[in-house]
Amino acid sequence: MPKPFDVIVLGLGAMGSAAACHLASRGTRVLGIEQFTSPHDKGSSHGGSRIIRQAYFESPDYIPLVLRAYELWRKVEADTGTKLLHTTGGLTLGDATSELVSRTVAAARAHSIPFEMFDVAEVRRRFPALEPLAGDIAVLEPHAGYLPPEECIRAHLKLAAAAGAELHFEERVLGWNAADGHGGGHVSVRTVRGTYEAAHLVVTAGPWANEALAGLFPLRVTRQVVAWIAPRGGVAPFLPQRFPVFLIEQGSARGYGFPAIDGAAGGMKVAVHGSDEVCTAGTVDREIHPADLERIRQTLTVRIPALDGEVLRAQTCLYTMTPDENFILGAHPGSAGCTLACGFSGHGFKFAPIVGEVLADLATTGTTAHPIGLFDPNRFSR
Ligand code: BEZ
């Protein structure tokens, strides 16, 4: 008897919404299940903006994937009539010897990604609101910019539904079984509303991955704080037509932020990448404390003094860290009928459509032409 669904996708955040979209648009019968509404603000894909950039200092292996992600974001824009990828340029700033700067330049050179390099005087001339330190170098990537995560998720879900995906929201999963493989395989998912069957399962549970995958990987969920600050002196120098998204290396910390994309009322969204505050999605402290804001200011006001202005608002977000900070993407090491994506380590959002495309490849054929060797789930599973 034919299964009611070909693929069930668990979790409809950034990656699950993209997977559902790619699967459904290939004619696959998809059921997507999400414990909350989507988008929502309890995970890792809220807050209005995510950086997208091409000169991927983390590893050159990401570059072909991010270039494909650019193509796919443009396709989602065309298919939904929604502007999603806002190109502002991206500035990477820090000591010339810092890993951030040197690896960004190396990545751009190795993959012929356009960039400009500025010394301190040129940084001041181009961006008068910045106060670079002696010995700093800036790298400006013209194709970098930002994505609005909530709108991106909505767009993928809209395309998934239009292509025939069945999407269930506010339905908590109680358990799943995916011992069998592709095509003729048999997986079952039990939720608070019933039990569903399919040939294959895709798990895209974001910061709930430890629970959804029964602690299969050594994932560390960390509490992150982002703040919107009204720059002292006003937003004029920081408007997106003249100020880029930015990453700044300050000692052992990496600060980042966005131009004033919401105008004077919105301020600038800024944060420090990473934290040692290990938590779970269920237990994270979502209160904002003075020390959270102090950490952001200490990291960023050294080179952007105007960020000592008023904090307009702040919120928490979650990273799901792997030990090597590279993603986990591939077949479940112990369940032949399950493909998974998790551990995006705070830098995954921009890749959502390519992750969706890879998940659709793997779930339907067991293989993909995209280079995903760096993300092999077998490197950690325990
Ligand atoms: C990113 O480009 O993915 C990124 C930059 C700064 C902090 C977090 C992520």
Side-chain angles (χ1 to χ4, degrees):
M1 208 169 86
K3 302 280 177 335
F5 297 103
D6 297 315
V7 182
I8 298 175
V9 179
L10 295 193
L12 293 174
M15 305 308 170
S17 62
C21 171
H22 281 271
L23 284 161
S25 53
R26 293 176 192 191
T28 305
R29 291 166 301 174
V30 182
L31 169 63
I33 306 176
E34 163 60 46
Q35 63 176 327
F36 302 115
T37 55
S38 186
H40 63 74
D41 64 1
K42 298 171 192 65
S44 308
S45 303
H46 54 283
S49 49
R50 288 291 178 280
I51 291 177
I52 182 161
R53 58 194 159 84
Q54 300 181 338
Y56 226 73
F57 62 85
E58 289 88 341
S59 161
D61 291 23
Y62 286 92
I63 294 177
L65 298 171
V66 83
L67 295 178
R68 177 67 179 150
Y70 268 73
E71 290 175 3
L72 291 170
W73 284 122
R74 293 300 184 204
K75 180 163 171 14
V76 176
E77 288 183 321
D79 290 348
T80 58
T82 317
K83 172 100 180 132
L84 297 172
L85 203 170
H86 300 261
T87 306
T88 58
L91 194 76
T92 302
L93 177 62
D95 191 87
T97 60
S98 70
E99 278 224 324
L100 181 65
V101 169
S102 56
R103 292 178 67 130
T104 301
V105 172
R109 287 203 172 117
H111 286 262
S112 304
I113 290 162
F115 72 101
E116 290 179 82
M117 237 156 76
F118 305 144
D119 62 12
V120 167
E122 185 64 6
V123 172
R124 287 213 180 93
R125 200 183 67 72
R126 297 279 286 260
F127 305 106
L130 292 180
E131 287 193 8
L133 305 184
D136 275 0
I137 289 284
V139 181
L140 183 70
E141 237 194 271
H143 297 310
Y146 71 92
L147 298 155
E150 294 91 342
E151 285 177 56
C152 292
I153 290 172
R154 271 189 214 106
H156 272 138
L157 291 175
K158 183 174 166 187
L159 293 175
E166 187 171 320
L167 304 176
H168 293 192
F169 298 98
E170 298 185 309
E171 183 166 346
R172 202 159 47 82
V173 170
L174 302 174
W176 56 266
N177 188 301
D180 291 339
H182 295 268
H186 176 222
V187 307
S188 66
V189 174
R190 201 163 53 85
T191 77
V192 288
R193 285 194 219 151
T195 299
Y196 306 96
E197 306 205 331
H200 199 81
L201 177 67
V202 169
V203 177
T204 44
W208 291 269
N210 276 333
E211 292 80 1
L213 298 167
L216 178 65
F217 301 112
L219 297 173
R220 224 166 37 98
V221 175
T222 60
R223 174 180 177 272
Q224 307 296 138
V225 174
V226 296
W228 284 259
I229 297 181
R232 187 171 36 79
V235 292
F238 298 105
L239 290 172
Q241 55 272 31
R242 62 181 75 107
F243 204 79
V245 300
F246 56 90
L247 279 92
I248 294 179
E249 187 121 306
Q250 169 59 37
S252 60
R254 185 170 302 154
Y256 69 95
F258 298 80
I261 61 176
D262 298 317
M268 290 168 73
K269 181 180 152 188
V270 290
V272 177
H273 177 64
S275 89
D276 291 328
E277 291 185 68
V278 177
C279 61
T280 71
T283 62
V284 59
D285 174 9
R286 295 192 189 269
E287 294 265 305
I288 305 298
H289 305 283
D292 296 324
L293 304 175
E294 197 42 41
R295 179 171 181 243
I296 295 173
R297 283 195 203 277
Q298 270 183 8
T299 304
L300 286 169
T301 53
V302 175
R303 290 176 176 84
I304 315 182
L307 287 174
D308 68 357
E310 184 191 353
V311 176
L312 301 175
R313 67 189 175 105
Q315 65 181 193
T316 55
C317 184
L318 298 169
Y319 283 2
T320 308
M321 306 300 295
T322 63
D324 62 8
E325 301 188 15
N326 294 314
F327 310 159
I328 297 176
L329 176 56
H332 187 299
S335 290
C338 177
T339 302
L340 50 84
C342 61
F344 287 92
S345 301
H347 64 110
F349 188 86
K350 64 183 83 58
F351 294 92
I354 173 67
V355 170
E357 187 168 65
V358 168
L359 287 170
D361 290 345
L362 296 177
T364 54
T365 69
T367 182
T368 182
H370 291 297
I372 58 163
L374 186 66
F375 312 137
D376 184 357
N378 292 298
R379 74 193 193 281
F380 298 130
S381 65
R382 51 190 181 189

PDB file of all heavy atoms in Angstrom, residues 51 53 56 247 256 273 319 346-347 350, ligand 1:
ATOM      1  N   ILE A  51      23.279  38.034   8.644  1.00  0.00           N
ATOM      2  CA  ILE A  51      24.297  38.407   7.660  1.00  0.00           C
ATOM      3  C   ILE A  51      24.399  37.341   6.579  1.00  0.00           C
ATOM      4  O   ILE A  51      24.293  36.146   6.851  1.00  0.00           O
ATOM      5  CB  ILE A  51      25.669  38.584   8.364  1.00  0.00           C
ATOM      6  CG1 ILE A  51      25.641  39.833   9.262  1.00  0.00           C
ATOM      7  CG2 ILE A  51      26.814  38.665   7.342  1.00  0.00           C
ATOM      8  CD1 ILE A  51      26.903  40.081  10.065  1.00  0.00           C
ATOM      9  N   ARG A  53      27.226  36.630   3.360  1.00  0.00           N
ATOM     10  CA  ARG A  53      28.519  37.064   2.802  1.00  0.00           C
ATOM     11  C   ARG A  53      29.138  35.883   2.093  1.00  0.00           C
ATOM     12  O   ARG A  53      28.719  34.737   2.304  1.00  0.00           O
ATOM     13  CB  ARG A  53      29.439  37.578   3.931  1.00  0.00           C
ATOM     14  CG  ARG A  53      29.676  36.526   4.999  1.00  0.00           C
ATOM     15  CD  ARG A  53      30.284  37.078   6.281  1.00  0.00           C
ATOM     16  NE  ARG A  53      30.012  36.144   7.375  1.00  0.00           N
ATOM     17  CZ  ARG A  53      30.749  35.076   7.655  1.00  0.00           C
ATOM     18  NH1 ARG A  53      31.845  34.832   6.967  1.00  0.00           N
ATOM     19  NH2 ARG A  53      30.409  34.258   8.630  1.00  0.00           N
ATOM     20  N   TYR A  56      34.117  33.341   2.808  1.00  0.00           N
ATOM     21  CA  TYR A  56      33.828  32.596   4.032  1.00  0.00           C
ATOM     22  C   TYR A  56      35.112  32.200   4.752  1.00  0.00           C
ATOM     23  O   TYR A  56      35.727  31.165   4.457  1.00  0.00           O
ATOM     24  CB  TYR A  56      32.957  31.378   3.697  1.00  0.00           C
ATOM     25  CG  TYR A  56      31.824  31.281   4.684  1.00  0.00           C
ATOM     26  CD1 TYR A  56      30.760  32.178   4.626  1.00  0.00           C
ATOM     27  CD2 TYR A  56      31.851  30.359   5.710  1.00  0.00           C
ATOM     28  CE1 TYR A  56      29.742  32.137   5.565  1.00  0.00           C
ATOM     29  CE2 TYR A  56      30.832  30.303   6.652  1.00  0.00           C
ATOM     30  CZ  TYR A  56      29.785  31.193   6.573  1.00  0.00           C
ATOM     31  OH  TYR A  56      28.784  31.161   7.511  1.00  0.00           O
ATOM     32  N   LEU A 247      31.630  42.842  10.678  1.00  0.00           N
ATOM     33  CA  LEU A 247      32.208  41.932  11.671  1.00  0.00           C
ATOM     34  C   LEU A 247      33.501  42.581  12.150  1.00  0.00           C
ATOM     35  O   LEU A 247      34.305  43.027  11.320  1.00  0.00           O
ATOM     36  CB  LEU A 247      32.574  40.588  11.050  1.00  0.00           C
ATOM     37  CG  LEU A 247      31.467  39.584  10.851  1.00  0.00           C
ATOM     38  CD1 LEU A 247      30.872  39.730   9.467  1.00  0.00           C
ATOM     39  CD2 LEU A 247      32.021  38.188  10.999  1.00  0.00           C
ATOM     40  N   TYR A 256      29.558  41.962  15.859  1.00  0.00           N
ATOM     41  CA  TYR A 256      28.989  42.115  14.516  1.00  0.00           C
ATOM     42  C   TYR A 256      27.743  42.972  14.600  1.00  0.00           C
ATOM     43  O   TYR A 256      27.207  43.217  15.692  1.00  0.00           O
ATOM     44  CB  TYR A 256      28.685  40.760  13.875  1.00  0.00           C
ATOM     45  CG  TYR A 256      27.550  40.009  14.512  1.00  0.00           C
ATOM     46  CD1 TYR A 256      26.246  40.097  13.996  1.00  0.00           C
ATOM     47  CD2 TYR A 256      27.744  39.222  15.629  1.00  0.00           C
ATOM     48  CE1 TYR A 256      25.194  39.404  14.573  1.00  0.00           C
ATOM     49  CE2 TYR A 256      26.700  38.533  16.221  1.00  0.00           C
ATOM     50  CZ  TYR A 256      25.428  38.629  15.691  1.00  0.00           C
ATOM     51  OH  TYR A 256      24.386  37.960  16.276  1.00  0.00           O
ATOM     52  N   HIS A 273      29.450  37.530  18.742  1.00  0.00           N
ATOM     53  CA  HIS A 273      29.273  36.164  18.231  1.00  0.00           C
ATOM     54  C   HIS A 273      29.749  35.155  19.274  1.00  0.00           C
ATOM     55  O   HIS A 273      30.902  35.195  19.690  1.00  0.00           O
ATOM     56  CB  HIS A 273      30.084  36.020  16.943  1.00  0.00           C
ATOM     57  CG  HIS A 273      30.063  34.647  16.352  1.00  0.00           C
ATOM     58  ND1 HIS A 273      28.917  34.063  15.878  1.00  0.00           N
ATOM     59  CD2 HIS A 273      31.055  33.750  16.150  1.00  0.00           C
ATOM     60  CE1 HIS A 273      29.196  32.859  15.402  1.00  0.00           C
ATOM     61  NE2 HIS A 273      30.491  32.638  15.564  1.00  0.00           N
ATOM     62  N   TYR A 319      22.355  29.581  19.752  1.00  0.00           N
ATOM     63  CA  TYR A 319      23.239  28.908  18.804  1.00  0.00           C
ATOM     64  C   TYR A 319      23.236  27.421  19.173  1.00  0.00           C
ATOM     65  O   TYR A 319      23.115  27.077  20.358  1.00  0.00           O
ATOM     66  CB  TYR A 319      24.684  29.402  18.939  1.00  0.00           C
ATOM     67  CG  TYR A 319      25.036  30.745  18.336  1.00  0.00           C
ATOM     68  CD1 TYR A 319      24.100  31.561  17.704  1.00  0.00           C
ATOM     69  CD2 TYR A 319      26.360  31.200  18.408  1.00  0.00           C
ATOM     70  CE1 TYR A 319      24.476  32.788  17.170  1.00  0.00           C
ATOM     71  CE2 TYR A 319      26.733  32.423  17.867  1.00  0.00           C
ATOM     72  CZ  TYR A 319      25.791  33.216  17.247  1.00  0.00           C
ATOM     73  OH  TYR A 319      26.173  34.424  16.722  1.00  0.00           O
ATOM     74  N   GLY A 346      25.716  29.015  14.790  1.00  0.00           N
ATOM     75  CA  GLY A 346      25.583  30.476  14.761  1.00  0.00           C
ATOM     76  C   GLY A 346      25.847  31.111  13.419  1.00  0.00           C
ATOM     77  O   GLY A 346      25.777  32.327  13.287  1.00  0.00           O
ATOM     78  N   HIS A 347      26.141  30.297  12.379  1.00  0.00           N
ATOM     79  CA  HIS A 347      26.400  30.931  11.080  1.00  0.00           C
ATOM     80  C   HIS A 347      25.665  30.233   9.936  1.00  0.00           C
ATOM     81  O   HIS A 347      26.063  30.323   8.767  1.00  0.00           O
ATOM     82  CB  HIS A 347      27.909  31.039  10.809  1.00  0.00           C
ATOM     83  CG  HIS A 347      28.647  29.738  10.689  1.00  0.00           C
ATOM     84  ND1 HIS A 347      29.165  29.279   9.504  1.00  0.00           N
ATOM     85  CD2 HIS A 347      28.965  28.791  11.612  1.00  0.00           C
ATOM     86  CE1 HIS A 347      29.771  28.118   9.706  1.00  0.00           C
ATOM     87  NE2 HIS A 347      29.671  27.802  10.973  1.00  0.00           N
ATOM     88  N   LYS A 350      22.103  31.866   6.464  1.00  0.00           N
ATOM     89  CA  LYS A 350      22.283  32.240   5.054  1.00  0.00           C
ATOM     90  C   LYS A 350      22.245  31.037   4.118  1.00  0.00           C
ATOM     91  O   LYS A 350      21.969  31.158   2.936  1.00  0.00           O
ATOM     92  CB  LYS A 350      23.601  33.015   4.880  1.00  0.00           C
ATOM     93  CG  LYS A 350      24.830  32.169   5.202  1.00  0.00           C
ATOM     94  CD  LYS A 350      26.133  32.952   5.109  1.00  0.00           C
ATOM     95  CE  LYS A 350      26.466  33.747   6.324  1.00  0.00           C
ATOM     96  NZ  LYS A 350      26.593  33.000   7.600  1.00  0.00           N
TER      97      LYS A 350
HETATM   98  C1  BEZ B   1      27.480  35.237   9.805  1.00  0.00           C
HETATM   99  O1  BEZ B   1      27.922  35.898   8.903  1.00  0.00           O
HETATM  100  O2  BEZ B   1      26.919  34.171   9.613  1.00  0.00           O
HETATM  101  C2  BEZ B   1      27.629  35.716  11.194  1.00  0.00           C
HETATM  102  C3  BEZ B   1      28.351  36.837  11.462  1.00  0.00           C
HETATM  103  C4  BEZ B   1      28.461  37.252  12.768  1.00  0.00           C
HETATM  104  C5  BEZ B   1      27.863  36.569  13.773  1.00  0.00           C
HETATM  105  C6  BEZ B   1      27.126  35.448  13.494  1.00  0.00           C
HETATM  106  C7  BEZ B   1      27.013  35.011  12.201  1.00  0.00           C
END
